[in-house]
Amino acid sequence: MAVCHYLESIEKNKIFTEPEKNRYIILDTETTGLDYKNDQVLSIGAIRIENLEINISDSFEVILQTETAGDKESIAVHGIRTQDVKQGIQRDFAFEQFLYFLQGDIIVGHHILFDKLILSNNIKKIFSIELLNPIIDTFDVAIYYENLVKKRNVIPEEANPEEFSLDNLLNRFRIKSSGRHTSIGDALLTAELFLRMMKKLIQQKNFRIESLIKY
């Protein structure tokens, strides 16, 4: 049922050239590692944006059941312990609820392609489908912002990763970075960052949101 509902939402979803008409899911995951083909999603945090406003009450947060939270290096980053994931929500139920929440909305996040790929690979092992949602990477939005609003000429392939890291961008836009390195905390901070940039960008006559959307 969840898969059918999700696929119907994807089919019906339309991408509008007016940014305020689109719905966005700001998403972050914590994982056992950085190998999207073999590592597992430990937690998902997601918040919906409608009319370019964050709707805190329309959010999703879950810790998924696994046997391990990863190696010491991974645990040091996300802070999720093995005893936490052993008591997590069963993976099939968690992904089912996630697909219901996600629908056909545009997924937004920082370096979001990794999150989409690892979620797709994890979900595919249970439901034999991949995530089909379009994505917007706030890393790309930040470079676009610098070029359009600040009149710079930053070439995406040559951009300094440190300059456009999430921590640096939060600091630059004076967003207090409390809750970092939890999936729901990073999703909320990324949502604030996305809106700060988007509300400046839509004032620019040459702004085209479709140039930021990838499939």
Side-chain angles (χ1 to χ4, degrees):
M1 185 67 78
V3 171
C4 291
H5 179 266
Y6 170 71
L7 294 176
E8 287 174 5
S9 297
I10 289 289
E11 191 171 334
K12 292 178 182 177
N13 191 51
K14 295 180 180 178
I15 303 298
F16 297 96
T17 55
E18 300 94 333
E20 64 275 14
K21 291 185 177 181
N22 292 312
R23 299 202 321 170
Y24 309 89
I25 295 292
I26 316 302
L27 174 69
D28 186 67
T29 61
E30 300 298 338
T31 64
T32 54
L34 298 177
D35 181 351
Y36 71 83
K37 292 183 178 178
N38 296 304
D39 278 311
Q40 297 208 355
V41 175
L42 299 174
S43 70
I44 304 170
I47 299 169
R48 198 180 318 276
I49 287 179
E50 287 189 82
N51 301 314
L52 291 185
E53 297 290 339
I54 297 171
N55 185 353
I56 292 291
S57 63
D58 196 3
S59 60
F60 181 88
E61 183 179 14
V62 68
I63 292 180
L64 295 94
Q65 191 175 75
T66 59
E67 287 300 311
T68 174
D71 57 26
K72 289 183 179 178
E73 288 76 18
S74 297
I75 293 173
V77 172
H78 54 61
I80 300 174
R81 305 166 302 174
T82 294
Q83 54 263 47
D84 298 326
V85 294
K86 284 188 173 181
Q87 297 175 3
I89 304 298
Q90 286 190 345
R91 301 183 75 77
D92 56 348
F93 181 74
F95 285 135
E96 189 176 63
Q97 296 304 303
F98 174 65
L99 290 174
Y100 269 119
F101 176 79
L102 182 61
Q103 303 180 49
D105 295 355
I106 301 171
I107 298 175
V108 179
H110 209 66
H111 299 304
I112 193 62
L113 181 58
F114 169 77
D115 299 85
K116 182 179 179 181
L117 289 173
I118 195 167
L119 279 166
S120 280
N121 274 277
N122 278 221
I123 290 172
K124 190 176 181 180
K125 291 173 183 174
I126 298 174
F127 295 121
S128 300
I129 64 163
E130 296 180 347
L131 291 186
L132 301 170
N133 304 65
I135 59 173
I136 293 178
D137 194 328
T138 46
F139 180 88
D140 296 335
V141 179
I143 293 172
Y144 191 94
Y145 178 95
E146 287 297 308
N147 290 339
L148 193 60
V149 178
K150 300 295 183 181
K151 310 304 180 188
R152 293 176 61 188
N153 185 28
V154 182
I155 299 171
E157 294 77 14
E158 299 176 2
N160 180 355
E162 182 62 24
E163 179 185 357
F164 293 96
S165 69
L166 181 57
D167 284 322
N168 267 342
L169 291 171
L170 293 174
N171 186 52
R172 194 183 310 169
F173 282 86
R174 298 181 180 179
I175 299 170
K176 188 176 179 181
S177 59
S178 56
R180 282 282 281 127
H181 301 302
T182 65
S183 55
I184 193 67
D186 281 357
L188 179 57
L189 290 168
T190 305
E192 293 183 29
L193 174 65
F194 176 66
L195 286 181
R196 294 273 182 98
M197 294 189 290
M198 195 58 61
K199 289 182 178 179
K200 286 281 188 181
L201 284 169
I202 60 177
Q203 298 174 18
Q204 309 295 315
K205 67 177 182 180
N206 293 327
F207 174 55
R208 301 285 182 273
I209 192 168
E210 55 268 34
S211 64
L212 293 170
I213 297 174
K214 297 177 179 176
Y215 292 88

